[in-house]
Amino acid sequence: MKHSLWLLLILCCLILAACEEPTATSELGTKNTSFSTAAATETETPEKPEEIIFQVSCICELTDPEGKTLHCGGPYDFHGTIDATPDRVYGTNPSWFEFKVPYRDYYTFQAKLNKFLIDSYSCHLSRITARGPKEVIWKTDGWTVKSDGTDVTVKLNGSDAQGGGYLSTLSFHTDADADIVLTKDSISVSGASGEAAVHVFDIKTMNSSEDQVIPVRGGALKIDLSAVSAGTVKITADGENSDLALVWNESD
């Protein structure tokens, strides 16, 4: 009799445990779903690169946020307190020197030449050209040009993995300092004056647009390139929005 009673109690416990299992599994599933959502959100956030690749067209000096410096005069004239790696020199008129530096939020460039060009191959693929600036600062979201007045050209590389996309160029004058903010498909400038010119090159068709001139009176300008495939650049100048139709120089 006692054995029968113990067997009955054990059987009841097993039945109760089986009845509780779906509830426990449901709670775990909810927790796992929440964790997966959080993990996916974190994964969607772009990671900062370990290194930044620069190409420069002249001898220049770099300074990082910690005050460390680097002299960039070519593979055999490359030294300083920044832990950097020289690469190659290539091209003519101008020639380019490529090197790598550790990721920092910004780098300050100084050069003695009247005109110099800098290419950035990290964060945003872009090039900046300026004549006689005091210094040019690369940032994760663009560039800053400090000067007493200079002409600036910034080129944003919007190429894609399929061999298409666009190279977009914005040229402008600044009487003092200019701040340039880049996204995947936009260029924003504060500190511009006079007139700005927009130029677009279609990588796939090898066609160029005619230069389109935009008056700038308040110093702030943004060009939105998200509709370039439809032949339009969206402009925000002096707080007013407008659409600028591109005129293409068709190739032969």
Side-chain angles (χ1 to χ4, degrees), residues 61 63 106-111 116 118 128 130 132-138 143-148 150 176-178:
E61 313 291 331
T63 306
Y106 66 88
Y107 277 98
T108 301
F109 289 79
Q110 292 180 321
F116 70 99
I118 308 171
I128 191 164
K134 294 178 181 178
E135 59 186 32
V136 172
I137 302 171
W138 172 89
W143 304 87
T144 295
V145 178
K146 294 185 175 295
S147 72
D148 294 323
T150 184
D177 301 341

Side-chain angles (χ1 to χ4, degrees), residues 14 83 148:
L14 290 173
D83 185 16
D148 294 323

Side-chain angles (χ1 to χ4, degrees), residues 112-155:
K112 294 181 179 179
L113 290 184
N114 182 50
K115 178 182 179 180
F116 70 99
L117 296 85
I118 308 171
D119 278 4
S120 166
Y121 282 82
S122 302
C123 297
H124 295 290
L125 301 180
S126 61
R127 170 182 295 179
I128 191 164
T129 307
R131 292 184 176 275
K134 294 178 181 178
E135 59 186 32
V136 172
I137 302 171
W138 172 89
K139 306 169 296 180
T140 55
D141 64 349
W143 304 87
T144 295
V145 178
K146 294 185 175 295
S147 72
D148 294 323
T150 184
D151 294 320
V152 179
T153 298
V154 59
K155 179 178 290 185

Side-chain angles (χ1 to χ4, degrees), residues 161-183:
Q162 290 72 42
Y166 302 90
L167 301 177
S168 305
T169 303
L170 179 64
S171 301
F172 62 92
H173 180 81
T174 179
D175 293 323
D177 301 341
D179 191 55
I180 302 161
V181 177
L182 305 176
T183 69

Side-chain angles (χ1 to χ4, degrees), residues 154 156 168 170 180-182 186-189 221-223 225:
V154 59
L156 179 63
S168 305
L170 179 64
I180 302 161
V181 177
L182 305 176
S186 70
I187 304 173
S188 300
V189 177
L221 173 66
K222 178 181 178 180
I223 61 170
L225 306 159

